[in-house]
C-alpha cells in the first residue's frame, strides 16, 4: 500500500489532497504514510561493467545536497550512489568500495575530469567527457573569444568526436607551433618575479587540452568496450529528470528529497532478472 501511495505521489504526481480523495483517507494520514515510507533497495547483479560516474547538486550548493552516481552504460542501471557534501577524491573512493562490495568489476569509466580523480582509475581505460572538456575550455576562453588564437583553439576543440586522436593531436601541435611566441608574451608587474604571462587564460586552456588528451579518445582506442564519449547518460538521462521531479515537489525538506532521489534511482534501468549472469 505504502509503495503504491508513494508511486502515485512521485511518478503520477498526485497532490496530497488528491491522494486523500483517491484513497478515502485524511490528508494528514496520507502525509504521514508518505513521510514514513522507505524506498525499496533493489538487488544488483554482480558483473563486469563500463560505468559513467558523475556528481550533481540539488538546489544551492551551500545546501550541501549532492549526489554521486555510477551508472552501467550497457543496461542504463544506476549501480551505486552516495549522497555527498563535497566532490572529493575520498567520495569517489567510497563509491569504488561500494562497487567492489556489490561484486562489480569496472572495465572502463567515463569521468568529467575533476582534479585528482582519474588517478583512482589508473588500472582501467578512462574516458574524459567531451562535453565537460568543452565547458572547461569555454570557461577559460569565454563563449565568443576575440583573439584569433583563442578562436582557433576553440575551433579545434569543436572537432572532438569527429576526428581521430592522431588528427586532433596534429591540429593541436600545429596550433601551438603557430602561436608559441604569442603564448610566451610577458607583461611586467610588481610581483617578486617582475612579470606574468600576458595570455594566462589561453595558456591554461591549452595546458588543459594537453593534460586531458590521453583520455579524450579512449572510446575509439577500446572499440570492444561500450564506452561513450560523454557523461550524458547521467546528465541527461538521470540528473535532468531528477531535478525536474524535485521541482514538482519543491518545498520538501532534505530528508524527503533524498527519499525521492533514492526512489527514482531504484526504479531506473533494467531489473535484476533482466540482466544476464
Amino acid at each position: 500500500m505504502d509503495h503504491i501511495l508513494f508511486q502515485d505521489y512521485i511518478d503520477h504526481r498526485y497532490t496530497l489532497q488528491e491522494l486523500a480523495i483517491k484513497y478515502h483517507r485524511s490528508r494528514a494520514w496520507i502525509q504521514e504514510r508518505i513521510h514514513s515510507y522507505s524506498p525499496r533497495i533493489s538487488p544488483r547483479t554482480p558483473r563486469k561493467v563500463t560505468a559513467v560516474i558523475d556528481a550533481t547538486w540539488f538546489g544551492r550548493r551551500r545546501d550541501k545536497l549532492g549526489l554521486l552516481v555510477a551508472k552501467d552504460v550497457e543496461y542504463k542501471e544506476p549501480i551505486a550512489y552516495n549522497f555527498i557534501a563535497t566532490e572529493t577524491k575520498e567520495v569517489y573512493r567510497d563509491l569504488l568500495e561500494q562497487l567492489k562490495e556489490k561484486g562489480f568489476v569496472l572495465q572502463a569509466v567515463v569521468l568529467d575530469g575533476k582534479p585528482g580523480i582519474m588517478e583512482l582509475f589508473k588500472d582501467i581505460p578512462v574516458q574524459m567527457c567531451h562535453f565537460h572538456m568543452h565547458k572547461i575550455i569555454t570557461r577559460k576562453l569565454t563563449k565568443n573569444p576575440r583573439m584569433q588564437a583563442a578562436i582557433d583553439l576553440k575551433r579545434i576543440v569543436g572537432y572532438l568526436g569527429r576526428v581521430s586522436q592522431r588528427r586532433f593531436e596534429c591540429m593541436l601541435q600545429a596550433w601551438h607551433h603557430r602561436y608559441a611566441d604569442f603564448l610566451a608574451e610577458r607583461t611586467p608587474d610588481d610581483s617578486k618575479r617582475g612579470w606574468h604571462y600576458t595570455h594566462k587564460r589561453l595558456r591554461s586552456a591549452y595546458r588543459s587540452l594537453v593534460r586531458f588528451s590521453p583520455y579524450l579518445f579512449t572510446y575509439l582506442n577500446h572499440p570492444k568496450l561500450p564506452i561513450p564519449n560523454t557523461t550524458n547518460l547521467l546528465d541527461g538521462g538521470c540528473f535532468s529528470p531528477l531535478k525536474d521531479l524535485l521541482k514538482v515537489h519543491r518545498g520538501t525538506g532534505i530528508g524527503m528529497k533524498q527519499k525521492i532521489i533514492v526512489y527514482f534511482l531504484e526504479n531506473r534501468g533494467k531489473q535484476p532478472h533482466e540482466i544476464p549472469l
Side-chain angles (χ1 to χ4, degrees), residues 169-188:
E169 290 176 350
C170 284
M171 288 192 292
L172 197 58
Q173 289 169 6
W175 179 91
H176 185 259
H177 179 76
R178 178 180 180 183
Y179 291 107
D181 291 341
F182 187 70
L183 288 172
E185 288 181 5
R186 301 177 179 183
T187 298

PDB file of all heavy atoms in Angstrom, residues 169-188:
ATOM      1  N   GLU A 169      45.561  15.601 -32.349  1.00  0.00           N
ATOM      2  CA  GLU A 169      46.852  15.980 -31.771  1.00  0.00           C
ATOM      3  C   GLU A 169      47.708  16.744 -32.774  1.00  0.00           C
ATOM      4  O   GLU A 169      48.448  17.662 -32.390  1.00  0.00           O
ATOM      5  CB  GLU A 169      47.574  14.735 -31.263  1.00  0.00           C
ATOM      6  CG  GLU A 169      46.896  14.141 -30.027  1.00  0.00           C
ATOM      7  CD  GLU A 169      47.538  12.848 -29.554  1.00  0.00           C
ATOM      8  OE1 GLU A 169      48.392  12.298 -30.303  1.00  0.00           O
ATOM      9  OE2 GLU A 169      47.192  12.390 -28.456  1.00  0.00           O
ATOM     10  N   CYS A 170      47.589  16.406 -34.054  1.00  0.00           N
ATOM     11  CA  CYS A 170      48.316  17.149 -35.094  1.00  0.00           C
ATOM     12  C   CYS A 170      47.814  18.590 -35.177  1.00  0.00           C
ATOM     13  O   CYS A 170      48.606  19.539 -35.307  1.00  0.00           O
ATOM     14  CB  CYS A 170      48.161  16.463 -36.448  1.00  0.00           C
ATOM     15  SG  CYS A 170      49.177  14.985 -36.645  1.00  0.00           S
ATOM     16  N   MET A 171      46.494  18.761 -35.103  1.00  0.00           N
ATOM     17  CA  MET A 171      45.924  20.115 -35.130  1.00  0.00           C
ATOM     18  C   MET A 171      46.381  20.917 -33.920  1.00  0.00           C
ATOM     19  O   MET A 171      46.695  22.113 -34.026  1.00  0.00           O
ATOM     20  CB  MET A 171      44.400  20.039 -35.183  1.00  0.00           C
ATOM     21  CG  MET A 171      43.831  19.568 -36.502  1.00  0.00           C
ATOM     22  SD  MET A 171      42.028  19.804 -36.649  1.00  0.00           S
ATOM     23  CE  MET A 171      41.454  18.621 -35.431  1.00  0.00           C
ATOM     24  N   LEU A 172      46.411  20.264 -32.746  1.00  0.00           N
ATOM     25  CA  LEU A 172      46.820  20.949 -31.520  1.00  0.00           C
ATOM     26  C   LEU A 172      48.296  21.335 -31.579  1.00  0.00           C
ATOM     27  O   LEU A 172      48.678  22.449 -31.175  1.00  0.00           O
ATOM     28  CB  LEU A 172      46.554  20.043 -30.319  1.00  0.00           C
ATOM     29  CG  LEU A 172      46.531  20.707 -28.940  1.00  0.00           C
ATOM     30  CD1 LEU A 172      45.482  21.811 -28.876  1.00  0.00           C
ATOM     31  CD2 LEU A 172      46.261  19.660 -27.854  1.00  0.00           C
ATOM     32  N   GLN A 173      49.130  20.440 -32.101  1.00  0.00           N
ATOM     33  CA  GLN A 173      50.552  20.747 -32.242  1.00  0.00           C
ATOM     34  C   GLN A 173      50.781  21.879 -33.231  1.00  0.00           C
ATOM     35  O   GLN A 173      51.624  22.765 -33.002  1.00  0.00           O
ATOM     36  CB  GLN A 173      51.302  19.490 -32.688  1.00  0.00           C
ATOM     37  CG  GLN A 173      51.403  18.424 -31.604  1.00  0.00           C
ATOM     38  CD  GLN A 173      51.914  17.099 -32.143  1.00  0.00           C
ATOM     39  OE1 GLN A 173      52.298  16.986 -33.317  1.00  0.00           O
ATOM     40  NE2 GLN A 173      51.903  16.072 -31.306  1.00  0.00           N
ATOM     41  N   ALA A 174      50.037  21.873 -34.329  1.00  0.00           N
ATOM     42  CA  ALA A 174      50.168  22.936 -35.333  1.00  0.00           C
ATOM     43  C   ALA A 174      49.743  24.272 -34.743  1.00  0.00           C
ATOM     44  O   ALA A 174      50.371  25.311 -35.002  1.00  0.00           O
ATOM     45  CB  ALA A 174      49.322  22.599 -36.558  1.00  0.00           C
ATOM     46  N   TRP A 175      48.686  24.254 -33.933  1.00  0.00           N
ATOM     47  CA  TRP A 175      48.229  25.480 -33.272  1.00  0.00           C
ATOM     48  C   TRP A 175      49.321  26.010 -32.346  1.00  0.00           C
ATOM     49  O   TRP A 175      49.612  27.220 -32.350  1.00  0.00           O
ATOM     50  CB  TRP A 175      46.958  25.197 -32.469  1.00  0.00           C
ATOM     51  CG  TRP A 175      46.436  26.402 -31.726  1.00  0.00           C
ATOM     52  CD1 TRP A 175      45.541  27.312 -32.186  1.00  0.00           C
ATOM     53  CD2 TRP A 175      46.808  26.821 -30.409  1.00  0.00           C
ATOM     54  NE1 TRP A 175      45.321  28.291 -31.226  1.00  0.00           N
ATOM     55  CE2 TRP A 175      46.096  28.008 -30.124  1.00  0.00           C
ATOM     56  CE3 TRP A 175      47.667  26.316 -29.433  1.00  0.00           C
ATOM     57  CZ2 TRP A 175      46.216  28.691 -28.911  1.00  0.00           C
ATOM     58  CZ3 TRP A 175      47.803  26.993 -28.230  1.00  0.00           C
ATOM     59  CH2 TRP A 175      47.073  28.170 -27.983  1.00  0.00           C
ATOM     60  N   HIS A 176      49.919  25.123 -31.556  1.00  0.00           N
ATOM     61  CA  HIS A 176      50.952  25.564 -30.618  1.00  0.00           C
ATOM     62  C   HIS A 176      52.170  26.100 -31.348  1.00  0.00           C
ATOM     63  O   HIS A 176      52.777  27.101 -30.927  1.00  0.00           O
ATOM     64  CB  HIS A 176      51.363  24.403 -29.704  1.00  0.00           C
ATOM     65  CG  HIS A 176      52.327  24.808 -28.638  1.00  0.00           C
ATOM     66  ND1 HIS A 176      53.680  24.558 -28.729  1.00  0.00           N
ATOM     67  CD2 HIS A 176      52.130  25.472 -27.466  1.00  0.00           C
ATOM     68  CE1 HIS A 176      54.280  25.034 -27.649  1.00  0.00           C
ATOM     69  NE2 HIS A 176      53.369  25.598 -26.869  1.00  0.00           N
ATOM     70  N   HIS A 177      52.549  25.471 -32.448  1.00  0.00           N
ATOM     71  CA  HIS A 177      53.690  25.948 -33.228  1.00  0.00           C
ATOM     72  C   HIS A 177      53.400  27.353 -33.774  1.00  0.00           C
ATOM     73  O   HIS A 177      54.284  28.230 -33.756  1.00  0.00           O
ATOM     74  CB  HIS A 177      53.961  24.974 -34.381  1.00  0.00           C
ATOM     75  CG  HIS A 177      55.102  25.398 -35.255  1.00  0.00           C
ATOM     76  ND1 HIS A 177      56.423  25.263 -34.874  1.00  0.00           N
ATOM     77  CD2 HIS A 177      55.120  25.969 -36.504  1.00  0.00           C
ATOM     78  CE1 HIS A 177      57.202  25.727 -35.834  1.00  0.00           C
ATOM     79  NE2 HIS A 177      56.440  26.158 -36.833  1.00  0.00           N
ATOM     80  N   ARG A 178      52.181  27.566 -34.214  1.00  0.00           N
ATOM     81  CA  ARG A 178      51.822  28.862 -34.806  1.00  0.00           C
ATOM     82  C   ARG A 178      51.810  29.973 -33.756  1.00  0.00           C
ATOM     83  O   ARG A 178      52.219  31.111 -34.036  1.00  0.00           O
ATOM     84  CB  ARG A 178      50.448  28.755 -35.462  1.00  0.00           C
ATOM     85  CG  ARG A 178      49.958  30.065 -36.077  1.00  0.00           C
ATOM     86  CD  ARG A 178      48.591  29.890 -36.719  1.00  0.00           C
ATOM     87  NE  ARG A 178      48.129  31.132 -37.309  1.00  0.00           N
ATOM     88  CZ  ARG A 178      46.936  31.296 -37.888  1.00  0.00           C
ATOM     89  NH1 ARG A 178      46.097  30.252 -37.948  1.00  0.00           N
ATOM     90  NH2 ARG A 178      46.585  32.446 -38.402  1.00  0.00           N
ATOM     91  N   TYR A 179      51.354  29.649 -32.547  1.00  0.00           N
ATOM     92  CA  TYR A 179      51.160  30.692 -31.537  1.00  0.00           C
ATOM     93  C   TYR A 179      52.155  30.609 -30.371  1.00  0.00           C
ATOM     94  O   TYR A 179      51.924  31.217 -29.319  1.00  0.00           O
ATOM     95  CB  TYR A 179      49.732  30.614 -30.983  1.00  0.00           C
ATOM     96  CG  TYR A 179      48.680  31.010 -31.985  1.00  0.00           C
ATOM     97  CD1 TYR A 179      47.851  30.048 -32.569  1.00  0.00           C
ATOM     98  CD2 TYR A 179      48.508  32.345 -32.368  1.00  0.00           C
ATOM     99  CE1 TYR A 179      46.878  30.399 -33.491  1.00  0.00           C
ATOM    100  CE2 TYR A 179      47.537  32.708 -33.296  1.00  0.00           C
ATOM    101  CZ  TYR A 179      46.730  31.732 -33.855  1.00  0.00           C
ATOM    102  OH  TYR A 179      45.760  32.087 -34.773  1.00  0.00           O
ATOM    103  N   ALA A 180      53.254  29.890 -30.542  1.00  0.00           N
ATOM    104  CA  ALA A 180      54.225  29.719 -29.455  1.00  0.00           C
ATOM    105  C   ALA A 180      54.742  31.066 -28.951  1.00  0.00           C
ATOM    106  O   ALA A 180      54.818  31.305 -27.737  1.00  0.00           O
ATOM    107  CB  ALA A 180      55.377  28.833 -29.921  1.00  0.00           C
ATOM    108  N   ASP A 181      55.110  31.961 -29.855  1.00  0.00           N
ATOM    109  CA  ASP A 181      55.630  33.275 -29.446  1.00  0.00           C
ATOM    110  C   ASP A 181      54.542  34.093 -28.754  1.00  0.00           C
ATOM    111  O   ASP A 181      54.814  34.815 -27.782  1.00  0.00           O
ATOM    112  CB  ASP A 181      56.170  34.035 -30.665  1.00  0.00           C
ATOM    113  CG  ASP A 181      57.425  33.406 -31.237  1.00  0.00           C
ATOM    114  OD1 ASP A 181      58.079  32.624 -30.509  1.00  0.00           O
ATOM    115  OD2 ASP A 181      57.740  33.665 -32.411  1.00  0.00           O
ATOM    116  N   PHE A 182      53.319  33.988 -29.255  1.00  0.00           N
ATOM    117  CA  PHE A 182      52.196  34.714 -28.653  1.00  0.00           C
ATOM    118  C   PHE A 182      51.953  34.228 -27.228  1.00  0.00           C
ATOM    119  O   PHE A 182      51.733  35.033 -26.312  1.00  0.00           O
ATOM    120  CB  PHE A 182      50.954  34.494 -29.518  1.00  0.00           C
ATOM    121  CG  PHE A 182      49.768  35.306 -29.113  1.00  0.00           C
ATOM    122  CD1 PHE A 182      49.729  36.684 -29.304  1.00  0.00           C
ATOM    123  CD2 PHE A 182      48.663  34.700 -28.519  1.00  0.00           C
ATOM    124  CE1 PHE A 182      48.632  37.440 -28.927  1.00  0.00           C
ATOM    125  CE2 PHE A 182      47.559  35.441 -28.144  1.00  0.00           C
ATOM    126  CZ  PHE A 182      47.532  36.813 -28.344  1.00  0.00           C
ATOM    127  N   LEU A 183      52.014  32.926 -27.016  1.00  0.00           N
ATOM    128  CA  LEU A 183      51.809  32.359 -25.680  1.00  0.00           C
ATOM    129  C   LEU A 183      52.920  32.764 -24.722  1.00  0.00           C
ATOM    130  O   LEU A 183      52.705  32.840 -23.511  1.00  0.00           O
ATOM    131  CB  LEU A 183      51.750  30.825 -25.767  1.00  0.00           C
ATOM    132  CG  LEU A 183      50.510  30.205 -26.392  1.00  0.00           C
ATOM    133  CD1 LEU A 183      50.710  28.707 -26.571  1.00  0.00           C
ATOM    134  CD2 LEU A 183      49.279  30.479 -25.540  1.00  0.00           C
ATOM    135  N   ALA A 184      54.102  33.011 -25.260  1.00  0.00           N
ATOM    136  CA  ALA A 184      55.262  33.338 -24.415  1.00  0.00           C
ATOM    137  C   ALA A 184      55.333  34.815 -24.051  1.00  0.00           C
ATOM    138  O   ALA A 184      56.206  35.217 -23.271  1.00  0.00           O
ATOM    139  CB  ALA A 184      56.543  32.918 -25.125  1.00  0.00           C
ATOM    140  N   GLU A 185      54.444  35.636 -24.591  1.00  0.00           N
ATOM    141  CA  GLU A 185      54.471  37.076 -24.292  1.00  0.00           C
ATOM    142  C   GLU A 185      54.301  37.329 -22.788  1.00  0.00           C
ATOM    143  O   GLU A 185      53.499  36.664 -22.130  1.00  0.00           O
ATOM    144  CB  GLU A 185      53.369  37.800 -25.068  1.00  0.00           C
ATOM    145  CG  GLU A 185      53.647  37.903 -26.556  1.00  0.00           C
ATOM    146  CD  GLU A 185      52.553  38.648 -27.303  1.00  0.00           C
ATOM    147  OE1 GLU A 185      51.625  39.169 -26.636  1.00  0.00           O
ATOM    148  OE2 GLU A 185      52.611  38.717 -28.548  1.00  0.00           O
ATOM    149  N   ARG A 186      55.071  38.302 -22.292  1.00  0.00           N
ATOM    150  CA  ARG A 186      55.045  38.624 -20.862  1.00  0.00           C
ATOM    151  C   ARG A 186      54.688  40.087 -20.643  1.00  0.00           C
ATOM    152  O   ARG A 186      54.984  40.944 -21.480  1.00  0.00           O
ATOM    153  CB  ARG A 186      56.408  38.336 -20.230  1.00  0.00           C
ATOM    154  CG  ARG A 186      56.864  36.888 -20.353  1.00  0.00           C
ATOM    155  CD  ARG A 186      58.246  36.710 -19.763  1.00  0.00           C
ATOM    156  NE  ARG A 186      58.689  35.320 -19.859  1.00  0.00           N
ATOM    157  CZ  ARG A 186      59.843  34.881 -19.363  1.00  0.00           C
ATOM    158  NH1 ARG A 186      60.676  35.746 -18.763  1.00  0.00           N
ATOM    159  NH2 ARG A 186      60.185  33.608 -19.470  1.00  0.00           N
ATOM    160  N   THR A 187      54.093  40.346 -19.485  1.00  0.00           N
ATOM    161  CA  THR A 187      53.731  41.709 -19.096  1.00  0.00           C
ATOM    162  C   THR A 187      54.400  42.023 -17.760  1.00  0.00           C
ATOM    163  O   THR A 187      54.246  41.257 -16.802  1.00  0.00           O
ATOM    164  CB  THR A 187      52.200  41.848 -18.944  1.00  0.00           C
ATOM    165  OG1 THR A 187      51.583  41.570 -20.216  1.00  0.00           O
ATOM    166  CG2 THR A 187      51.832  43.255 -18.493  1.00  0.00           C
ATOM    167  N   PRO A 188      55.155  43.130 -17.679  1.00  0.00           N
ATOM    168  CA  PRO A 188      55.806  43.497 -16.409  1.00  0.00           C
ATOM    169  C   PRO A 188      54.772  43.775 -15.320  1.00  0.00           C
ATOM    170  O   PRO A 188      53.690  44.291 -15.585  1.00  0.00           O
ATOM    171  CB  PRO A 188      56.580  44.773 -16.766  1.00  0.00           C
ATOM    172  CG  PRO A 188      56.725  44.739 -18.253  1.00  0.00           C
ATOM    173  CD  PRO A 188      55.480  44.068 -18.763  1.00  0.00           C
TER     174      PRO A 188
END
